[in-house]
């Protein structure tokens, strides 16, 4: 029986789809209206990733697209089409979301929270009681700054760093409430920051760190143009050099999620932190950025306990451009990965996200700096 996936054209969805299409004869892409059709975008992604044409054709032959409007009742379909779609499914992967941290809160709510409720309705309507795989985020932990965060934790008492996190929290709550009300099982996957060292390409989805890098590049170009580039700039970053960010290669995240899906459920809502066993210190990211821009505009990123009272003009630009990311420069929390460890899926063998990895991730940006 077919499975359905939302968000298949995105950073994670493309990687998930690649694996899922090898395991299932028929995959329905639930994609939004307009633009280049989802199936075509997937084919372009597979080509840009260097997949042989034969393999691409085999994957494409298994894909079918149903255009839906995620936020609308019955996904914007007629009752008949909604029911027919629901009834043919064994599994639904809900991966679509707006991940733009600066997006309008109403948009985030509609896409991430309301959209999840609509997918829950699809799962509930299905005669075959399809298993729901909900892609959440470690961001549901909100602003908890230190300590260990467990997979069983889901509380909003710390508040949220961004409205994106809040919308994902509410989406996860909706999944849990539905499961409690109906007794239906679900799997919640909570990935950390997803990265890739694949060279950027117009047909490859972008990723959050690359967005951060592109912001920095714009900033450096602006500073270079305004003549601030004559000597080494010091930028004071309110934060802690030992703060931790968990980053996981997106290809590994997709692999782990599909592995998890293969295992028999252990509870009604199995929840997994899809995280790297080792966190990255923010000072390493600062070092990598320093090295990348050294030839163009030498910058020292210096961590300071609180925001300077009188920031230099270039610091104000940094705070304005990167403001949303600043709180993450202070958190020293760890995301427990007992679920993955219990299944033997993570450990010392997990590919490292280290200096070399980050240089590969960002390295190609260095040469296009003033383009
Ligand atoms: N990236 C991360 O670091 C990260 C970390 C933790 C959790 N996650 C979660 O992982 C999932 C995938 O994220 P991603 O990084 O792959 O994001 P992405 O690259 O931005 O892809 C988002 C996907 O969702 C679709 N989408 C967005 N708004 C939609 C709407 N209103 N209606 C229908 N489809 C819509 C997009 O379609 P179009 O291609 O048509 O725009 C795209 O396929 C999300 O649930 C996200 O919250 C991501």
């Amino acid at each position: 029986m077919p499975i359905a996936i939302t968000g298949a054209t995105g950073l994670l969805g493309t990687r998930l789809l690649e694996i899922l299409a090898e395991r299932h004869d028929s995959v329905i892409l639930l994609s939004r209206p307009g633009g280049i059709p989802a199936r075509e975008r997937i084919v372009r992604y597979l080509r840009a990733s260097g997949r042989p044409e034969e393999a691409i054709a085999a994957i494409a032959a298994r894909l079918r697209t149903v255009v839906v409007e995620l936020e609308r009742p019955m996904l914007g379909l007629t009752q008949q089409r909604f029911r027919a779609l629901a009834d043919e499914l064994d599994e639904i992967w809900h991966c679509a979301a707006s991940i733009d941290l600066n997006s309008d809160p109403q948009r985030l709510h509609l896409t991430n929270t309301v959209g999840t409720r609509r997918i829950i309705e699809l799962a509930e309507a299905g005669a075959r009681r399809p298993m729901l795989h909900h892609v959440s985020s470690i961001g549901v932990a909100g602003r908890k700054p230190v300590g260990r965060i467990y997979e069983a934790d889901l509380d909003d008492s710390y508040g949220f760093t961004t409205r994106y996190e809040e919308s994902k929290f509410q989406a996860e709550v909706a999944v849990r409430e539905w499961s409690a009300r109906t007794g239906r099982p679900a799997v919640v996957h909570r990935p950390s920051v997803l990265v890739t060292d694949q060279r950027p390409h117009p047909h490859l989805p972008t990723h959050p760190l690359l967005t951060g890098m592109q912001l920095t590049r714009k900033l450096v170009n602006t500073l270079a143009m305004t003549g601030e580039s004559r000597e080494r700039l010091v930028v004071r970053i309110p934060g802690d050099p030992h703060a931790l960010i968990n980053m996981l290669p997106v290809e590994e995240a997709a692999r782990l999620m599909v592995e998890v899906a293969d295992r028999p459920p252990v509870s009604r809502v199995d929840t997994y932190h899809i995280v790297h066993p080792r966190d990255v210190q923010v000072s390493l990211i600062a070092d990598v950025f320093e090295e990348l821009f050294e030839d163009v505009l030498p910058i020292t990123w210096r961590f300071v306990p609180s925001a300077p009272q009188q920031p230099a003009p270039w610091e104000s630009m940094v705070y304005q451009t990167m403001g949303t990311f600043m709180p993450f420069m202070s958190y020293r929390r760890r995301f427990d990965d007992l679920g993955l460890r219990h299944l033997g899926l993570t450990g010392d063998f997990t590919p490292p996200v280290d200096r070399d990895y980050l240089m590969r991730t960002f390295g190609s940006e260095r040469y296009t700096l003033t383009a």
Side-chain angles (χ1 to χ4, degrees), residues 154-175:
L154 186 66
D155 82 87
D156 55 0
S157 54
Y158 288 90
F160 297 97
T161 316
T162 63
R163 298 300 280 267
Y164 162 76
E165 290 181 346
E166 190 174 4
S167 66
K168 294 294 287 185
F169 172 87
Q170 284 165 353
E172 207 183 302
V173 168
V175 171

Side-chain angles (χ1 to χ4, degrees), residues 350-363:
T350 305
V353 174
D354 53 14
R355 188 182 192 84
D356 287 348
Y357 186 94
L358 293 175
M359 286 306 285
R360 281 199 305 280
T361 297
F362 297 126

